[in-house]
Amino acid sequence: MSQIMSETKRKINSSIAEDNLLKAFELMCTAKALAELYEENKEVCAKYVHATSRGHEAIQLAVSMQLLPQDFLSAYYRDDSMLLGIGMTPYELMLQVLAKRDDPFSGGRTYYSHPSLKRDNMPKIPMQSSATGMQAIPTTGVAMGLQYLEKQGLSADFGDDKPIAVCSLGDACITEGEVAEAFQMAVLKKMPILYVVQDNEWDISANAKEIRAQDATEYAKGFKGLETRTIDGTDFEKSYNTVKEVIAIIRKERRPFLIHAKVPLLNHHTSGVRKEWYRDDLEEAQQRDPFPKFRNQLIISGFDIAELTEIEKQAKQKVADDYQKALAAEDPRPEDLFDYDFMPTPVTEEKGQREPAGKEKTVMVDSALFAIRELMTKHPECLLYGQDVGGRLGGVFREAATLAQTFGDHRVFNTPIQEAFIIGSTVGMSAVGCKPIVEVQFADYIWPGLNQLFTEVSRSCYLSNGKWPVSMILRVPIGAYGSGGPYHSSSVESVLANIRGIKICYPSTGADLKGLMKAAYYDPNPVVMLEHKGLYWSKIKGTEDAKTIEPDEDYIIPLGKARMVQEAIASTDKSSLTIITYGMGVYWAKNAAKEFAGQIEIVDLRTINPLDEATVFASVRKHGKCIVLTEEPYNNGFAQALAGRISKYCFESLDAPVEVIGSENLPAIPLNSTLETTMLPNASKVAKAIGELLNY
């Protein structure tokens, strides 16, 4: 193409540079050729589901061709033109459509055009899921991180080309509540982000008239400060100039915009849901094809028809050649399956002083406060946000007291009641180099955020082949205490334990909370810190040992290392046992064990994932009898799963079935204190079970 350009003399009637127009045409030809090749070879290419950008090419190229390497992009599953526009090759995209080992995004693990990219010469693309709205929060988290680093003086100096985030969305997905959370935070904090809504008026088979009360432009009016541009997304020149104007404003004024681009959907929803099955507007949609429109505009502007024809021919040949190369590329190997579930942590051994001399015991809630204060003092990229953690209150349990006053409102701040945003924004924050510590006010409130935790946070490392691990801490006050009732008392660790890709801590003492908080900070993976609010101040009789001497600043505990609370000598007459527990269970076990002097060993797991199986199994084999004690209802939970593992791996050492003790199997913890006590385990119930098991 460069030779053709150099030999051609013309007068171009366009505000866009000639090189850019020809490059856009070449890329549009390439995208069209890709879609046609996939359809011609659907028996091969449709083995793994894909979608293409046919009809959307103009707006996608208008955006992607103007992004810089310092920018961040969220490209959704129909955005192959956008990926071509930032510099990806047809071969690289085909490696993904065929799920090959060298697929640059995920190594064959995720769908076509579900990108994750971290190259120095291209915009950065953090991992994202299937993009039906979920990408809006992580990408807005990117913008929030860019803003934070700028305000703290921690970002590189790009002059007038300050980095921005771009979030690509289909029109149907913006009815998702999580998209509203993203828009709300973007305008509240005036973030440097561009939302590009590609409106083809189709969900899958559902048409716009069925599923939305207003279009994207009308919807955006509900978010004060979200300025919009509504354009014909099939017109490349109009799209390019609009994007150019908007990006320039965002780079300078650092505020959010939304471009609503109206486009046709010319290809299938996906290769598995074909357009002819349900659509009656195909002929009408074809009249809006951006490809002939752009080609005619170029001819009218002075480009030679033969030159354009040659570009199209070369693009088709390039796509055909790359397809043959991609077919021959290596498939993933079986052993590749096990790579990148987590990135290695630097914290592998306990260090520092757990009980420095000359200190008095500290309540558990203050141990967390002191840990975060030390981390924020040492690391300017560290920040804390969540509901009510700001300066006025410092958290409903005062777990963040004084932090806002010490570090300022930019580093410690309140969020709206948006658990999905609190959790999902950490994906973007981590991607730009921040280290967010975020808080959900109660375990009962975590449910709106599980979509982000499961779909975005936990899978980012694995589905990006290790490029984008999410380094964050999610603090969750948990457990029943003081008649909190059904919406402030739940235990949720079994649900979390079924989310692969996150680590889960559940400390039972202040020293462990501080040491684990430090380890979680330096861990490159997402860590959920479950903090039992009944242990925060040791106000419950029998929990006094949750108060500990505050460890020194260097104290750190590797995740996956259990604590031996008390040991017992293995008896020859089978009159000893071990209790495997965590959280409040540690204190139920300790108080119950007082009735059985020297007979009860207690292991505090401290972390649910990773799990210290070696310590657990050794203790069980030593005593031959075991109780797994939890605050959760005992059916279908983590404790039962652990009991099953113990039964399997310690079978020959067991002298009795593994006993599981937990709460009653009821939907919620009642408000009334008598009912609450009846539902939960306690020392008396544990002592009764110990006696029965010892006499088995």
Side-chain angles (χ1 to χ4, degrees), residues 128-141:
Q128 63 184 39
S129 66
S130 287
T132 50
M134 280 85 79
Q135 75 274 32
I137 285 177
T139 315
T140 306

Side-chain angles (χ1 to χ4, degrees), residues 175 224 276 345 463 505 593 608 642:
T175 57
K224 184 179 180 181
E276 59 268 17
T345 175
L463 292 183
C505 301
I608 288 172
L642 178 55

Side-chain angles (χ1 to χ4, degrees), residues 419-496:
E419 288 82 7
F421 186 89
I422 292 169
I423 294 172
S425 62
T426 64
V427 176
M429 294 288 279
S430 174
V432 302
C434 296
K435 179 72 183 201
I437 302 174
V438 298
E439 182 175 314
V440 168
Q441 204 166 75
F442 291 91
D444 302 77
Y445 299 173
I446 200 171
W447 309 117
L450 280 188
N451 190 17
Q452 289 290 323
L453 186 64
F454 177 81
T455 307
E456 312 299 325
V457 175
S458 73
R459 295 178 170 189
S460 185
C461 183
Y462 187 70
L463 292 183
S464 70
N465 263 14
K467 293 190 293 295
W468 297 107
V470 180
S471 188
M472 59 85 88
I473 302 173
L474 170 59
R475 298 182 67 189
V476 184
I478 194 171
Y481 165 67
S483 297
Y487 304 110
H488 301 82
S489 306
S490 295
S491 294
V492 300
E493 58 265 30
S494 290
V495 173
L496 296 175

Side-chain angles (χ1 to χ4, degrees), residues 10-18 21 237 298 301-303:
R10 60 177 76 85
K11 290 180 78 173
I12 301 302
N13 180 27
S14 175
S15 58
I16 304 173
E18 177 181 328
L21 289 170
E237 291 198 40
L298 292 177
S301 293
F303 288 89

Side-chain angles (χ1 to χ4, degrees), residues 81-96:
S81 286
M82 199 169 287
L83 297 174
L84 292 170
I86 66 169
M88 303 297 291
T89 66
Y91 175 67
E92 290 174 315
L93 298 186
M94 289 174 183
L95 289 175
Q96 194 182 32

Side-chain angles (χ1 to χ4, degrees), residues 144-145 148-154 368-386 389 400 403-404 406-413 426 429-430 432-439 471-475 517-523 553:
M144 187 162 73
Y148 173 77
L149 294 175
E150 285 177 21
K151 289 185 175 181
Q152 294 296 313
L154 301 173
L369 174 67
F370 298 156
I372 294 175
R373 185 173 66 193
E374 290 170 359
L375 288 167
M376 295 187 76
T377 299
K378 189 173 183 179
H379 302 285
E381 69 276 12
C382 177
L383 71 166
L384 172 70
Y385 56 94
V389 302
L403 289 176
T406 302
F407 298 104
D409 293 337
H410 288 310
R411 295 189 68 187
V412 181
F413 57 89
T426 64
M429 294 288 279
S430 174
V432 302
C434 296
K435 179 72 183 201
I437 302 174
V438 298
E439 182 175 314
S471 188
M472 59 85 88
I473 302 173
L474 170 59
R475 298 182 67 189
M517 190 75 76
K518 292 293 184 74
Y521 183 85
Y522 295 111
D523 198 306
E553 185 173 351

Side-chain angles (χ1 to χ4, degrees), residues 496-572:
L496 296 175
N498 275 283
I499 300 176
R500 279 70 179 176
I502 62 173
K503 298 184 178 182
I504 307 165
C505 301
Y506 203 144
S508 65
T509 71
D512 288 341
L513 177 51
K514 185 174 183 183
L516 291 170
M517 190 75 76
K518 292 293 184 74
Y521 183 85
Y522 295 111
D523 198 306
N525 306 287
V527 181
V528 179
M529 189 70 62
L530 300 176
E531 305 173 23
H532 200 295
K533 57 185 187 288
L535 301 178
Y536 266 157
W537 303 281
S538 292
K539 289 182 179 180
I540 300 174
K541 186 178 179 181
T543 64
E544 294 79 11
D545 288 346
K547 295 172 62 176
T548 57
I549 299 294
E550 184 200 350
D552 70 6
E553 185 173 351
D554 296 327
Y555 183 64
I556 197 163
I557 303 169
L559 275 57
K561 181 69 173 176
R563 176 174 70 96
M564 189 64 69
V565 178
Q566 65 183 47
E567 292 191 72
I569 298 173
S571 58
T572 56

